[in-house]
Amino acid sequence: MAEVQAVSRPPLILGDKSLSQITSDICAAMLRRPNALWWIGFLIAFSLLVMGAAAVTYQVATGIGTWGLNNTVGWAFGITNFVFWIGIGHAGTLISAILFLFRQRWRTSVNRSAEAMTLFAVMCAGVFPLIHMGRPWLGYWIFPYPNFRGPLWMNYRSPLAWDAFAISTYFLISLTFWYLGLIPDLATIRDRAHPGLRRRLFEFFSLGWDGSFRTWQRYETVYMLLAGLATPLVVSVHTIVSWDFAAAVIPGWHATIFPPYFVAGAIFSGMAMVLTLMIVARTVMNLQNYITVRHVEVMCKLILLNGSIVALAYGTEFFMAHYSGNPYEQFVFLNRAFGPFAWAYWTMISCNVLIPQLLWFRRVRTSIAVVFVLSLLINVGMWFERFVIIVTSLHRDFLPSNWASYRPTSIEVATLLGSFGLFFTCFLIFCRILPMIAMAEVKGVVAHERAERRHHK
């Protein structure tokens, strides 16, 4: 019975595509002239990027006093945005590496775009610690290398140093993993391209791929090793980011629950962003046969799982604050729920705890429009989660005489919008110049499903 049910499920790739049709469809999405929707999205994203670049330039020239910082709230939008974007970047490695090791075939239609999304999100995240340093032109001092500064070295106990190592390692491994997966498809485009600069570029970056058995064997071995190497990064990177808070003695931060809580939250927000991008891409690039309702439904189940873990973490925080008997800890959490920033806290709860519960219903999971709205709301909620953790633990200090409020300035808002402009500009350009679906892996899925159907006939 289990075998019959497995075969009766709808195929991952619709339209009974031949291998040559898969190549033609995915290349056509990349080679055809962009439609009006693509241009509208690109112009909006690029306009936000220009605005953000102007805001960052002004901050660098003037100083981070342009933010709404004060002696009490020393971390503001900058670190909130940093943690948010690092979280967004987690889904790419999850889909590519972990699901590859577990042989989940549905990942093949979304892993390429998710990996690219990881790179762009980490680029956005890396901007904010540089600005927050105050002197970004000296940012290279954070790395230990032979220098002429005498005894002046980086402070290895600083969370800034931990973030620098985590971000650089995560970016390099993710970039290598993404590029390695691209090589077979680059060779396919090379063989289809007309003589000229485009063909020469693809020929150079495909590294002489010839598609032989020996080449495929070595490729799969290296890909497996990189997947095994990249998998711990999903856990380690956001664990290190959580230590930025947990290593402090501030009430509301000093908690051992932070590492698993932050990792689950990062995957939660990252998968929501993947869904947002995939739904837009399947509509704008006419890829409904390759990014199907079945892909959306499986990703919704992963979001529901990680959202449930995040909801449990929220409840555990309140329980431990009560159980500890620490009046400072109890005050922080009551202040989050009923203090001046209660509106941000309840926005977080609504978007991250209540709204994802709709995904228990299959009718919701299979409605593309509803899932798109839910994915947007989840990312709004996850941004507010970082805002609530940072600001509400700081704006009410140990001494009431040191209490202060916080209000973001227009420069901070412009920088946040500029980071979204950078992210979407990079993603839209990626959709135009490289295949956003892994052709070689999708062909393997189609061939496997056909073999299964023949076996059960």
Side-chain angles (χ1 to χ4, degrees):
M1 180 63 69
E3 290 182 352
V4 173
Q5 288 176 348
V7 175
S8 63
R9 287 184 304 179
L12 283 169
I13 307 301
L14 302 179
D16 197 23
K17 302 286 185 180
S18 66
L19 301 186
S20 61
Q21 282 179 314
I22 293 172
T23 302
S24 299
D25 289 348
I26 296 175
C27 289
M30 180 181 65
L31 297 174
R32 73 167 67 99
R33 295 183 61 134
N35 56 22
L37 285 175
W38 186 91
W39 277 113
I40 291 172
F42 179 78
L43 290 174
I44 293 173
F46 189 72
S47 299
L48 292 176
L49 173 59
V50 172
M51 180 181 67
V56 170
T57 302
Y58 178 72
Q59 293 171 60
V60 172
T62 308
I64 60 170
T66 55
W67 294 359
L69 301 171
N70 51 59
N71 289 335
T72 304
V73 185
W75 285 9
F77 258 32
I79 304 303
T80 303
N81 298 336
F82 163 72
V83 181
F84 172 77
W85 281 115
I86 285 292
I88 294 296
H90 267 57
T93 305
L94 171 82
I95 292 174
S96 296
I98 296 179
L99 297 183
F100 172 77
L101 294 176
F102 281 97
R103 297 293 189 243
Q104 297 297 306
R105 292 193 299 273
W106 64 267
R107 63 178 277 282
T108 56
S109 290
V110 298
N111 69 314
R112 175 71 50 71
S113 298
E115 293 166 13
M117 185 197 77
T118 291
L119 300 177
F120 305 146
V122 173
M123 288 165 52
C124 293
V127 171
F128 292 99
L130 276 176
I131 303 171
H132 207 274
M133 291 173 71
R135 298 178 180 176
W137 54 89
L138 299 178
Y140 64 93
W141 283 21
I142 202 68
F143 296 102
Y145 65 95
N147 60 73
F148 300 99
R149 295 194 294 273
L152 183 61
W153 286 88
M154 60 181 292
N155 182 7
Y156 287 98
R157 294 175 297 177
S158 169
L160 185 63
W162 309 343
D163 292 339
F165 283 110
I167 292 172
S168 58
T169 303
Y170 189 52
F171 182 81
L172 289 174
I173 296 298
S174 299
L175 177 63
T176 305
F177 194 58
W178 174 72
Y179 174 63
L180 184 71
L182 264 173
I183 291 176
D185 290 353
L186 295 178
T188 299
I189 300 171
R190 172 202 64 195
D191 297 337
R192 293 169 57 90
H194 298 294
L197 176 62
R198 182 185 180 85
R199 183 187 179 97
R200 288 197 298 271
L201 286 173
F202 281 109
E203 188 172 2
F204 174 79
F205 286 107
S206 60
L207 303 179
W209 178 276
D210 59 5
S212 66
F213 174 79
R214 185 175 65 172
T215 302
W216 271 108
Q217 186 180 40
R218 292 178 175 177
Y219 167 81
E220 290 177 357
T221 301
V222 175
Y223 197 80
M224 175 73 75
L225 290 173
L226 273 177
L229 182 62
T231 297
L233 291 178
V234 176
V235 177
S236 65
V237 172
H238 224 61
T239 297
I240 292 171
V241 172
S242 74
W243 289 343
D244 293 357
F245 303 91
V249 294
I250 303 296
W253 287 3
H254 191 66
T256 55
I257 195 178
F258 266 29
Y261 166 25
F262 271 49
V263 170
I267 297 172
F268 182 52
S269 61
M271 292 295 290
M273 182 62 81
V274 170
L275 261 181
T276 303
L277 295 178
M278 291 301 96
I279 291 173
V280 171
R282 78 189 293 268
T283 303
V284 174
M285 308 294 285
N286 296 319
L287 295 171
Q288 289 86 349
N289 288 329
Y290 296 92
I291 303 172
T292 65
V293 174
R294 185 173 165 191
H295 290 99
V296 173
E297 185 177 10
V298 174
M299 293 176 71
C300 284
K301 291 177 181 178
L302 280 176
I303 289 176
L304 182 59
L305 170 64
N306 285 281
S308 301
I309 297 173
V310 170
L312 176 63
Y314 292 162
T316 303
E317 282 188 310
F318 261 89
F319 170 76
M320 291 308 298
H322 167 73
Y323 189 71
S324 68
N326 186 325
Y328 300 104
E329 199 79 18
Q330 293 171 352
F331 172 78
V332 164
F333 285 96
L334 290 174
N335 182 59
R336 284 182 183 178
F338 306 107
F341 289 99
W343 59 272
Y345 178 81
W346 292 110
T347 300
M348 175 191 81
I349 293 296
S350 300
C351 294
N352 295 346
V353 177
L354 302 180
I355 288 175
Q357 301 310 310
L358 296 173
L359 296 175
W360 285 104
F361 303 101
R362 190 172 187 275
R363 182 174 295 180
V364 174
R365 295 197 305 268
T366 53
S367 172
I368 300 298
V370 173
V371 170
F372 179 72
V373 173
L374 291 184
S375 67
L376 291 175
L377 290 175
I378 288 170
N379 272 306
V380 170
M382 288 307 295
W383 187 90
F384 272 103
E385 178 198 286
R386 281 64 181 241
F387 179 82
V388 166
I389 289 173
I390 291 170
V391 174
T392 60
S393 293
L394 292 175
H395 83 123
R396 294 291 182 259
D397 209 339
F398 291 100
L399 297 175
S401 60
N402 201 35
W403 288 2
S405 187
Y406 166 74
R407 178 176 296 175
T409 64
S410 58
I411 294 297
E412 289 176 281
V413 175
T415 306
L416 171 62
L417 295 176
S419 67
F420 278 98
L422 172 61
F423 179 78
F424 286 107
T425 298
C426 291
F427 187 81
L428 289 169
I429 292 174
F430 159 74
C431 293
R432 295 300 313 159
I433 64 176
L434 290 171
M436 61 178 299
I437 292 179
M439 291 184 281
E441 297 191 43
V442 167
K443 291 174 185 177
V445 169
V446 170
H448 181 83
E449 288 188 337
R450 285 176 181 163
E452 275 190 339
R453 287 198 296 269
R454 287 196 300 268
H455 175 71
H456 291 284
K457 278 184 179 178

